[in-house]
Amino acid sequence: MADSTASADTAAQNPADRPVYVIGGGPGGLAVASALRARGVRAVVLEKSDQVGASWRRHYDRLRLHTTRRLSALPGLSMPRRFGRWVKRDDVVRYLEKYAEVHELEIVTGVEVSRIERTADGSGWLLHATGGRELTGRAVVVATGYNHTPRIPDWPGRTGYTGEFLHAGEYRDAAPYAGRDVLVVGVGNTGAEIAVDLVEGGASRVRLSVRTAPHIVRRSTAGWAAQYTGILVRRLPVGLVDRLAGPMARLSVPDLSAHGLPRPDTGLYSRVREGAVPVQDVGLIDAVRKGRVEVVAAVEGFEDGKVVLADGTRVGPDVVVAATGYVRALEGLVGHLGVLDARGRPVVHGARAPKDAPGLYFTGFTNPISGMFRELRIDAERIARTVARVIRKADGKSGA
């Protein structure tokens, strides 16, 4: 693994000598680099932090993969059995470090790419990076991650709020909040798990602010992981999956309407297609039923040191944890290329390059029901096959 930028500076004179640049040293970037290397294509990973797996290192301590160990391995290296079925955050980090080592990946740390554009002759891509560097690649794979930049809503009065406030990305464990009143805002998987962590860690009161009731699924039922079902229904019509999911939810998940969490009025897979994956239960159901996690209305703003909720009530917690998600923050990098949709998402991903941007690929910007790591592995293999084929064809023409 490289620790300087010397190997990243590539002469632009001979296109055949240019590497494929992979932006991001998380699981998606490492998987693509490995798959390319296996096909004889030089890939250079550019990572802005000083280590691989930077986003995983920042996650809260109790986090585990919600997908099974066997279906979460990247190309060419299994996850050790000792990690167990649901792999801990620290073991994911260890795995990514080992993955880079085993596959002898060429990784340059401390380099952040700020803008990508076509080379003047149209034969490749020019990357503007840290320190004024200009790097030229044959192709570029953007793998900067789904959880890139914390998103905090522009709540009225937020800037004047003097209470303790943090984004979920800053939360590590419950120890600092023992004996305190905490409001968690957002009921995705992160918010749900942090709420449970706080309860188990001794917070005096935990409230969970919910705008839209989520679909909740059991992570595993009688040994059958929810991920298996996600894989089976991945390609089925959305409406059909919605109809099948309703009865299954009523059988496996109790009605929490009396506790402030009614069953959703839109289908499970319809929500997934909009970017909202189901909440996998790791203790939320029991905590809500027992009143240990109190469900309250959505946050509307902040006023006079209080949090104003959508139902008009005001609460005064000691701490507010905003589990309000992340943005991909791709606009500065590729927004000028016309490759993002109105929500800032790549218009295509995987082995497909945008029509007007051949040689530019994206991975890790969806949140699939079948498991992120599994889809990263599939994307990596497909991207590598496509890139290798395009390079062989280009080199054949240049040598003719």
Side-chain angles (χ1 to χ4, degrees), residues 152-159 165 185 211 298-302 320 322 324:
I152 298 177
D154 187 21
W155 286 306
R158 161 71 187 89
T159 56
F165 182 99
V185 185
R211 183 172 299 278
V299 171
E300 289 295 306
F302 295 77
V320 176
T324 46

Side-chain angles (χ1 to χ4, degrees), residues 151-158 161 165 183-186 207-212 296-303 306-315 317 319-324:
R151 172 186 174 271
I152 298 177
D154 187 21
W155 286 306
R158 161 71 187 89
Y161 181 64
F165 182 99
L183 173 67
V184 180
V185 185
R207 283 173 284 203
L208 183 60
S209 172
V210 176
R211 183 172 299 278
T212 304
V296 298
V299 171
E300 289 295 306
F302 295 77
E303 188 175 304
K306 300 288 186 179
V307 182
V308 183
L309 304 180
D311 60 4
T313 61
R314 298 185 178 203
V315 296
V319 184
V320 176
V321 180
T324 46

Side-chain angles (χ1 to χ4, degrees), residues 173-182 198-205 318-319:
D173 59 59
Y177 312 104
R180 304 176 74 186
D181 180 339
V182 186
L198 287 163
V199 164
E200 294 177 354
S204 64
R205 186 176 189 179
D318 300 320
V319 184

